[in-house]
Amino acid sequence: MLKLGIIGTNWITKQFVEAAEETKRYQLTRVYSRREETAKEFGADFGVTTVSTDLNEFMTSGDVDVIYIASPNSLHFEQSKAALLAGKHVIVEKPAVTKLTEWQELVALAKEQKLFIFEAARNIHEDSFRKVTELLPDASELLGANLNFMKYSSRYDLVLAGEEPNIFSPKFAGGALMDLGVYVMYAAIAWFGRPTSYHYFAQKITTGVDGKGTIILRYPNFDVTMQTGKIANSDLPSEIYTQKETIHLDAVNSIETINVLDLKTQELRNVPATRLENPMVEEATDFADVIENPTSEALQTSYNDWLEIGAIVHELMEQMRQEAGIKFPTDSF
């Protein structure tokens, strides 16, 4: 049983802890928050009374094997680094970092410490996502794709009222690309690999970050167009085009419906897909498999694939932000 410590006491942390315990591979043992009352209140839902308000005490505690980090984006890198130096495995919410060099440093440190670091880009771990992967033909037969994930955030109401909530603040590495955009980027890179060129048409808001935008990835013989945003809603499906079929998806994360249209016969077939009630169970299972089986060649190959996908995603996202003029305090461009 992996002893789990958490940083962050929001809804996504609760969902991950519930998923982790559902796998029966983890046990929540310690909660960190700057406010003791908040930590105790969160822990009470899981029968946990051991809390920390001092981050160093939390990191070095002996009752934690793996730390799940769901703090504001701008804190992810330093907290992940501290956890690895303290000898803990790390699961860090997306986006794990704001720049490629940070990701490379964390990956190298994990290897040096004989530990594992995972970015919780959950969609690539879902069984339905893998089923789509199995449907894809050779790259030479691909014609393109449209991937969409855009959902209005109620916190944009605060922006409209003149405030700057974390999720829309450059100080906290916020914005559409750094939130929902991570899902479409991970999907595209996992399915199609590194593009030959790319561009981000960002629609910036008053805080200086992007509220929504369009991403275009160019490949040798096709393009992938992606919409993402947090200041508007989209109910558009996602589609992948091949020389023989069109693959219709209801989403790029938590995929529930996969339909394949045969272009020649115009027959539509459904590929059975299961969306779990808690969409974080599959990633929690994958992470536990790797941690508990460090000598498994197959699992370590999967782990290294995730790290490489992450490297490409963070490289491209950093350069897209630079192109769009979306600058965070730690950026040098």
Side-chain angles (χ1 to χ4, degrees):
M1 187 77 72
L2 295 169
K3 293 176 289 186
L4 176 67
I6 59 154
I7 298 176
T9 53
N10 51 33
W11 69 269
I12 198 168
T13 310
K14 185 175 187 294
Q15 187 175 55
F16 182 82
V17 174
E18 290 172 345
E21 295 199 340
E22 186 175 331
T23 69
K24 303 188 185 305
R25 310 280 288 281
Y26 305 79
Q27 179 183 6
L28 181 64
T29 54
R30 184 178 288 262
V31 177
Y32 168 81
S33 176
R34 289 174 298 175
R35 295 178 63 248
E36 183 176 5
E37 181 182 349
T38 301
K40 287 183 174 180
E41 183 179 338
F42 185 96
D45 288 340
F46 299 94
V48 175
T49 58
T50 307
V51 303
S52 297
T53 56
D54 179 271
L55 194 57
N56 184 63
E57 176 200 45
F58 173 78
M59 295 290 188
T60 57
S61 61
D63 57 1
V64 172
D65 301 319
V66 54
I67 294 176
Y68 171 78
I69 299 173
S71 53
N73 297 344
S74 58
L75 303 179
H76 289 179
F77 170 67
E78 291 297 341
Q79 291 177 345
S80 296
K81 184 176 179 180
L84 290 169
L85 288 171
K88 314 300 184 186
H89 302 290
V90 171
I91 300 170
V92 56
E93 261 308 321
K94 55 81 192 165
V97 295
T98 62
K99 57 186 68 176
L100 175 61
T101 54
E102 292 176 342
W103 181 244
Q104 292 172 328
E105 183 176 345
L106 293 177
V107 170
L109 181 58
K111 183 176 181 180
E112 178 185 311
Q113 297 285 93
K114 294 182 171 52
L115 296 166
F116 296 105
I117 181 166
F118 308 93
E119 182 169 26
R122 61 177 174 80
N123 55 328
I124 68 169
H125 297 278
E126 294 167 2
D127 181 63
S128 54
F129 188 94
R130 291 174 175 141
K131 287 183 176 179
V132 176
T133 305
E134 292 169 359
L135 292 172
L136 298 180
D138 184 85
S140 63
E141 296 182 31
L142 287 168
L143 298 177
N146 284 312
L147 308 179
N148 301 288
F149 194 3
M150 187 156 58
K151 186 175 181 181
Y152 187 86
S153 169
S154 60
R155 295 182 190 177
Y156 186 54
D157 295 344
L158 299 177
V159 175
L160 296 175
E163 299 181 39
E164 189 173 290
N166 292 357
I167 201 167
F168 288 114
S169 171
K171 179 182 177 182
F172 290 100
L177 183 64
M178 299 296 288
D179 188 6
L180 302 186
V182 178
Y183 289 107
V184 292
M185 285 294 294
Y186 255 92
I189 301 305
W191 282 332
F192 313 118
R194 178 190 287 274
T196 55
S197 63
Y198 45 89
H199 189 78
Y200 183 43
F201 299 91
Q203 185 173 332
K204 295 171 72 174
I205 58 175
T206 55
T207 61
V209 301
D210 51 330
K212 64 183 290 290
T214 301
I215 303 164
I216 297 179
L217 305 184
R218 304 219 73 176
Y219 292 84
N221 60 308
F222 64 91
D223 294 335
V224 176
T225 302
M226 298 180 280
Q227 278 200 113
T228 190
K230 295 186 67 63
I231 63 173
N233 265 344
S234 173
D235 293 321
L236 289 175
S238 292
E239 296 179 329
I240 301 172
Y241 313 109
T242 80
Q243 292 181 2
K244 298 178 181 179
E245 299 173 326
T246 296
I247 303 170
H248 301 263
L249 311 172
D250 66 326
V252 293
N253 69 299
S254 299
I255 300 169
E256 187 173 21
T257 304
I258 305 172
N259 288 319
V260 181
L261 176 68
D262 186 299
L263 299 182
K264 183 174 290 187
T265 66
Q266 290 298 295
E267 292 181 356
L268 189 68
R269 64 184 173 91
N270 175 260
V271 177
T274 302
R275 181 169 65 186
L276 301 184
E277 183 176 346
N278 187 324
M280 303 178 91
V281 168
E282 289 151 311
E283 65 172 355
T285 300
D286 277 357
F287 300 156
D289 284 345
V290 170
I291 293 171
E292 294 177 336
N293 300 278
T295 61
S296 167
E297 186 174 335
L299 289 172
Q300 296 311 307
T301 296
S302 294
Y303 173 66
N304 288 322
D305 287 344
W306 304 334
L307 296 181
E308 178 59 24
I309 293 170
I312 297 171
V313 167
H314 291 298
E315 177 187 350
L316 269 56
M317 286 177 54
E318 180 183 3
Q319 293 179 8
M320 286 176 183
R321 285 195 302 104
Q322 181 174 357
E323 177 186 47
I326 302 166
K327 189 170 184 177
F328 301 150
T330 58
D331 288 328
S332 57
F333 56 78

